[in-house]
Amino acid sequence: MAKKVTIYDIAREAGVGIGTVSRVLNNNPSVAPETRNRISEVAKRLSYQPHTYAQRLARQQSETISAVIPFFTSYFFMEVLRGVQEKVSEFGYDLVLYGVEHADQAENYVAKALQRGKVDGILFFSMKMPDRVLSMLKESNLPVGLVDSVSPSFDSISVANAEGAYAATSHLVELGHRKVGMLNARSVSTPATERLQGFRRALEQQGIPYSDSLVKCGKSTRHDGFNRDSGYEAMMDFIAMGSEMPNAFFISSDIQAFGAIAALNEKGFRIPEDIAIVGFDDIELARLMRLTTMRQPMFQMGVLAIERLVSRMSNPDMEILHTTFSPTLIVRESCGAFMSSEGMPSTKSRLR
Amino acid sequence: MAKKVTIYDIAREAGVGIGTVSRVLNNNPSVAPETRNRISEVAKRLSYQPHTYAQRLARQQSETISAVIPFFTSYFFMEVLRGVQEKVSEFGYDLVLYGVEHADQAENYVAKALQRGKVDGILFFSMKMPDRVLSMLKESNLPVGLVDSVSPSFDSISVANAEGAYAATSHLVELGHRKVGMLNARSVSTPATERLQGFRRALEQQGIPYSDSLVKCGKSTRHDGFNRDSGYEAMMDFIAMGSEMPNAFFISSDIQAFGAIAALNEKGFRIPEDIAIVGFDDIELARLMRLTTMRQPMFQMGVLAIERLVSRMSNPDMEILHTTFSPTLIVRESCGAFMSSEGMPSTKSRLR
DNA sequence: ACGTTTTGCGGAAACGCTTCCAACGTTAAA
DNA sequence: TTTAACGTTGGAAGCGTTTCCGCAAAACGT
C-alpha cells in the first residue's frame, strides 16, 4: 500500500496544527493566505490523499449515490445507466450499483442503506415496491428518486407507457391492419401492464374488439419477460393460431421483437410483407434491424434522474417533481409503412 | 434519517461492554454462548445496522472492488460486467464503476484509488496503461486484475485475439476464398492489433500475399472503432475498390459486421452468395442475424476476473496467473459454409 | 489446597478526519 | 488608553468501529 500520509504529517511538516490543515484542505476561508500556501504546497509535495472513509465518518455523509436496478444487463438499463454514470461523476459522487432480482431484495437493501451515512441518495429503477418499504423510505428522509416507476411521495422520471403503446398500436391500425396482436412482457412489471392498457385503448378507440387471445407473453421470465426468448415463444404461440393469427403486432420491447422476428423467419413469414411489427425502446439494434419502434430517451432519463436527485439532496424541501417523457414513434421498415406508402417493399429490408 | 443505533446502545441494553458486542457481531468465538445470544437478540430488536464507513476505517479495508472500464455501454463489456456483478455480490463486496474515456483518465483515477482503504481491489478493462501507471500500481501492492489486456506483473484474463483472427480467416480461406480482407478497429486498441496479426499470419500460412490495402478501418472513433458506423464506413471503402474488392471479410467485431452488412445491402451485395463474412465476439444479436463469428466467453471472463481478484486479495503472494481463453468459431450463415457444403443457400438467411 | 491455565469480558486506544471552542495577537472603535 | 471585535490558530472531542491489553473468575493440574 502506498504509505499513508495523514493530515498530521502535513501539520508537522508545515509547522501548524491539524485544524488548520483541515481548513486548508476544505477551502475554509479563515486561514491566512500565506499559511494556506505553505500548507497546500506541503500537501502536494507529500502527495497527500484524504482518506475517504474517515472523511465520511467525520462528516456524517457518504458522497455516494446508489442505484438499485433489477437487471442492469438489459439494453434499456444500460442506456439509462450511461446517463446516470455521466452525471454522477460530473457531480463528484461515487456510484454504487445494486443488482437485485425482485422488489423484496430491494427491501433488504433499503434497510442497509438507511443507516445514516451509508448513501446520500438512492435511485430505484423500475421497481414496484410494497407500501411498507415506501413509507420506511419516506420517514427515513433519505433523498430518493424513482426511474421508470411512480409514487406520489418521491420524485420520479418515467415514460408514458400507455400513451406510447397507444401510439404504436394506432400506427399499425392506421396502416390498415385490423387484426393486431400484442406481445407483452410479464404483468408483474408495471410498464408491461401500462403498455397493455394503451394497446387496449387504441383498439377500442378504433372500434376493434379486444380479446385476451390478442395478447401473449412467452414463458421466459428473465428480465420480467423483456427478453428475446419470451418474444420468440410468444410469437410461436401466435403462429400456432393458424388463420386466426393477427398480421400486425405491437411488441412491448425491441428485444422481444427480435425474438419474434426470429420465430417469424423460421416459419417463413416475411416482414413487413406478411406481418407488420412495431417495438418499444429504440435500442441501438433497432436501428440496425430497421425496426419501427417507440423511442424512449433513455440516456436523458438517466441524466435527469441524477440532476433531480442531487438537487433534492441539497434542498430536501423542494417540492416533489414528476417528469414523464413521451415516447416518440420512429418509423422504419418493420411496420410496412414505406411499403404501403410507396407502393412497394423497400429493397433494403434487413428483416428476414 | 433513521435514528442511529450504535454498539454502545446495544452494550448498554444488554449490560455488557462494547468489545463484547463487537465480538458477537463479528462472530469472534471467544464469547460465552449465553452472552452471545442475549446480545444478538438485542441487536435484532434495535435493528442495528453497522456503520460501514466506521468499520472500514477501523478495519483499514473497504470491502469494495472497483472496475475501470473504457465504455461500459458496449455489448462486449455489458456481457462481461454481468459476470462481474454476479460474483461481486456473491462475495459480498461493493462494486464501484468508473467509466473512463482514455487511459490517462484511468491514471487519474488510480491516484485516487491508491489511498489506502479506498478500494480493496481494482479491475482494469481493455486498458493499455503507460508503464508509469503500471509501476505505481505495482508498488502500491493493491490487488489488480486485468481483463482483456495483459501485463507481466498482474493477473490477467484475456482472449487469444491473434489465434481467433487466425481461425476466422483460415475458415474463410478453407471455404475457397482467396481474396479476403479485414475490417479492423483502431490500432490504439490492443485487441485490434492482435487480431490484425492473426489475420496476416493466416494469410501468409495459406500462401496468400498480404497487402495493406486488404485491411481498412472506418473513421468513427467511438469505442476505439468497435462500432457500427466504423464497419459501415470501412465496407464502403472496400466497395469503392470495385473489382479489386475482396469477396470475403474477417471483421474484428460483430457490431462492425452489422454496419458492414448494412453497407453491403445498400449496394446490392448478397450475403453470403456474393460476400462472405465472419465477425468476432458473438454478441446476442449475432445469433439472430445468423452471423458466423468467433465466440468469446464474456460472461465467464467476468466471473473469473472476480474470482481471481478475490483470491489475490486474500492471498497477495499468490503467483501471478494469466488466463487466455481461446475464442471458438461459431459457424452460422454469413460465411457461406452451409451454402458451399450443402450446395445451396439456406432459405432462412436473415442477412439481407 | 494452591499454583497455573483458560475462558470471558471490559474498555482504552486507534483509525483519519471535521468541527467546535478557547486563546492569541491585532486592529478598530470609543 | 481602554475595550471590543476580529482574524487566525491549535488542538480536543467526536464520528462508530475493531482490536489489543489486562483482569477476574473459572477450570485445571498436582
Side-chain angles (χ1 to χ4, degrees):
Chain A
M1 300 288 154
K3 46 209 125 309
K4 59 183 171 184
V5 180
T6 74
I7 54 171
Y8 284 88
D9 299 317
I10 299 181
R12 186 171 0 90
E13 198 80 8
V16 296
I18 57 161
T20 308
V21 173
S22 178
R23 276 182 287 260
V24 169
L25 263 19
N26 293 291
N27 290 314
N28 182 317
S30 63
V31 176
E34 195 268 336
T35 317
R36 172 181 303 280
N37 280 127
R38 184 154 38 95
I39 294 181
S40 309
E41 200 145 309
V42 173
K44 186 170 300 167
R45 179 156 53 80
L46 302 186
S47 65
Y48 167 79
Q49 294 284 0
H51 190 296
T52 318
Y53 297 125
Q55 287 183 312
R56 292 179 181 179
L57 178 57
R59 289 191 187 135
Q60 301 276 75
Q61 49 133 3
S62 64
E63 280 144 7
T64 294
I65 288 174
S66 84
V68 181
I69 299 203
F71 11 77
F72 81 90
T73 173
S74 80
Y75 297 103
F76 174 75
F77 290 125
M78 248 8 234
E79 205 48 41
V80 178
L81 272 183
R82 263 189 54 223
V84 167
Q85 153 77 24
E86 181 153 317
K87 273 297 164 189
V88 161
S89 57
E90 186 179 315
F91 282 116
Y93 284 85
D94 278 358
L95 209 217
V96 176
L97 248 34
Y98 279 81
V100 303
E101 295 293 310
H102 286 300
D104 38 340
Q105 272 183 59
E107 177 173 358
N108 188 331
Y109 170 63
V110 166
K112 281 203 178 307
L114 249 34
Q115 40 177 307
R116 197 185 29 153
K118 168 97 187 198
V119 297
D120 292 342
I122 308 191
L123 243 34
F124 290 95
F125 285 72
S126 305
M127 312 255 325
K128 185 162 45 180
M129 284 178 298
D131 288 343
R132 184 166 31 87
V133 180
L134 253 21
S135 57
M136 233 170 101
L137 240 22
K138 193 60 194 172
E139 82 185 50
S140 82
N141 233 21
L142 221 206
V144 166
L146 265 24
V147 180
D148 199 33
S149 69
V150 180
S151 158
S153 8
F154 302 103
D155 294 323
S156 68
I157 314 276
S158 58
V159 160
N161 282 304
E163 187 189 302
Y166 178 90
T169 310
S170 300
H171 179 244
L172 250 12
V173 175
E174 280 156 16
L175 252 23
H177 296 287
R178 304 295 296 174
K179 289 166 67 179
V180 9
M182 173 177 181
L183 277 73
N184 204 175
R186 317 198 69 222
S187 57
V188 292
S189 151
T190 308
T193 63
E194 292 176 355
R195 288 171 200 177
L196 175 58
Q197 284 166 21
F199 172 75
R200 293 189 61 154
R201 192 153 51 77
L203 253 38
E204 281 155 16
Q205 205 115 332
Q206 303 271 0
I208 300 178
Y210 168 83
S211 142
D212 282 346
S213 64
L214 252 27
V215 5
K216 295 195 188 300
C217 173
K219 287 171 300 300
S220 297
T221 62
R222 193 165 73 106
H223 296 186
D224 283 351
F226 290 106
N227 67 71
R228 182 180 178 279
D229 291 342
S230 161
Y232 179 92
E233 294 158 3
M235 187 53 87
M236 279 302 189
D237 285 352
F238 272 119
I239 292 172
M241 291 171 71
S243 61
E244 292 301 299
M245 173 186 175
N247 48 22
F249 293 94
F250 163 56
I251 305 183
S252 56
S253 73
D254 291 349
I255 195 74
Q256 289 170 83
F258 296 139
I261 289 170
L264 254 10
N265 277 320
E266 220 164 274
K267 295 300 187 181
F269 292 90
R270 291 164 307 158
I271 305 165
E273 294 86 342
D274 301 329
I275 301 288
I277 276 182
V278 8
F280 207 106
D281 282 349
D282 195 30
I283 64 181
E284 189 181 5
L285 308 184
R287 181 168 56 108
L288 241 168
M289 297 284 282
R290 313 298 315 145
L291 181 69
T292 294
T293 191
M294 299 305 301
R295 170 177 296 166
Q296 304 196 60
M298 300 172 274
F299 182 86
Q300 199 183 144
M301 288 168 69
V303 168
L304 183 59
I306 292 296
E307 287 175 344
R308 176 98 10 115
L309 186 62
V310 169
S311 54
R312 172 156 308 280
M313 292 182 330
S314 59
N315 176 14
D317 299 323
M318 184 175 89
E319 111 185 80
I320 292 174
L321 255 31
H322 299 281
T323 302
T324 304
F325 286 99
S326 292
T328 57
L329 177 68
I330 306 293
V331 178
R332 284 192 275 246
E333 296 171 20
S334 67
C335 58
F338 293 141
M339 186 173 67
S340 46
S341 68
E342 295 166 12
M344 56 177 302
S346 161
T347 56
K348 298 187 292 185
S349 174
R350 287 150 190 75
L351 289 159
R352 40 179 162 144
Chain B
M1 302 292 151
K3 47 210 125 301
K4 58 183 172 183
V5 179
T6 73
I7 52 172
Y8 284 88
D9 298 318
I10 299 181
R12 186 170 2 89
E13 199 78 8
V16 297
I18 57 162
T20 308
V21 174
S22 178
R23 277 181 287 259
V24 169
L25 264 18
N26 292 291
N27 290 314
N28 182 315
S30 61
V31 176
E34 195 268 335
T35 317
R36 172 181 302 280
N37 279 128
R38 185 154 38 95
I39 294 181
S40 310
E41 199 145 311
V42 174
K44 186 170 300 169
R45 180 157 52 79
L46 302 185
S47 65
Y48 166 80
Q49 294 285 359
H51 191 296
T52 319
Y53 297 125
Q55 288 183 312
R56 291 178 182 182
L57 178 57
R59 289 189 187 141
Q60 300 277 74
Q61 50 134 16
S62 65
E63 281 143 7
T64 294
I65 288 175
S66 84
V68 181
I69 298 202
F71 9 77
F72 79 89
T73 172
S74 80
Y75 300 102
F76 175 74
F77 289 123
M78 255 175 68
E79 208 46 43
V80 178
L81 272 183
R82 262 189 54 223
V84 167
Q85 154 76 24
E86 180 153 317
K87 273 297 165 190
V88 161
S89 56
E90 186 179 315
F91 282 117
Y93 283 85
D94 278 357
L95 208 217
V96 178
L97 247 36
Y98 279 81
V100 302
E101 295 294 310
H102 287 299
D104 38 341
Q105 274 182 58
E107 176 173 0
N108 188 332
Y109 169 64
V110 167
K112 283 203 178 308
L114 247 35
Q115 37 176 309
R116 198 187 28 156
K118 168 97 186 196
V119 298
D120 291 342
I122 309 190
L123 243 35
F124 290 95
F125 286 71
S126 305
M127 311 254 326
K128 186 163 43 180
M129 283 178 298
D131 287 344
R132 182 165 33 88
V133 180
L134 252 21
S135 56
M136 234 170 100
L137 239 21
K138 193 59 194 174
E139 82 185 51
S140 81
N141 233 21
L142 222 205
V144 166
L146 266 23
V147 180
D148 198 33
S149 69
V150 180
S151 158
S153 8
F154 302 103
D155 293 326
S156 67
I157 314 278
S158 58
V159 160
N161 283 303
E163 187 188 302
Y166 179 90
T169 310
S170 301
H171 179 243
L172 250 14
V173 174
E174 280 157 17
L175 252 23
H177 296 286
R178 304 295 295 176
K179 289 167 67 178
V180 7
M182 173 178 182
L183 277 73
N184 204 175
R186 316 198 69 222
S187 57
V188 292
S189 151
T190 307
T193 62
E194 291 176 355
R195 288 171 201 177
L196 176 58
Q197 285 165 22
F199 172 75
R200 293 189 61 155
R201 191 152 52 76
L203 252 40
E204 281 156 16
Q205 204 116 332
Q206 303 271 0
I208 300 179
Y210 169 83
S211 142
D212 283 345
S213 64
L214 252 27
V215 6
K216 295 193 187 302
C217 171
K219 287 170 301 298
S220 297
T221 62
R222 195 166 72 105
H223 295 187
D224 283 352
F226 290 107
N227 67 71
R228 182 181 177 275
D229 291 342
S230 162
Y232 179 91
E233 293 158 4
M235 187 53 87
M236 278 302 188
D237 285 352
F238 271 119
I239 292 173
M241 291 171 71
S243 62
E244 292 301 301
M245 175 184 173
N247 49 22
F249 293 93
F250 163 57
I251 306 185
S252 56
S253 73
D254 291 350
I255 196 75
Q256 289 170 84
F258 297 138
I261 289 171
L264 254 10
N265 277 320
E266 219 165 275
K267 295 299 187 182
F269 292 91
R270 291 166 307 159
I271 304 164
E273 294 86 343
D274 302 329
I275 301 289
I277 276 182
V278 7
F280 207 106
D281 282 349
D282 196 32
I283 65 179
E284 188 179 7
L285 192 57
R287 180 166 56 110
L288 242 168
M289 298 283 281
R290 313 298 313 146
L291 182 69
T292 294
T293 192
M294 301 303 302
R295 172 177 296 166
Q296 304 195 61
M298 300 172 274
F299 182 86
Q300 199 182 144
M301 288 169 68
V303 168
L304 184 59
I306 292 297
E307 287 175 344
R308 176 90 24 106
L309 187 62
V310 168
S311 55
R312 173 155 307 280
M313 291 182 330
S314 60
N315 176 13
D317 299 322
M318 184 176 90
E319 111 186 80
I320 292 175
L321 253 31
H322 300 280
T323 301
T324 305
F325 286 98
S326 292
T328 57
L329 177 68
I330 307 294
V331 178
R332 285 193 274 245
E333 296 170 21
S334 68
C335 58
F338 293 141
M339 188 172 67
S340 46
S341 67
E342 296 165 13
M344 57 178 302
S346 159
T347 57
K348 298 187 293 183
S349 172
R350 286 148 191 77
L351 288 160
R352 36 174 168 151

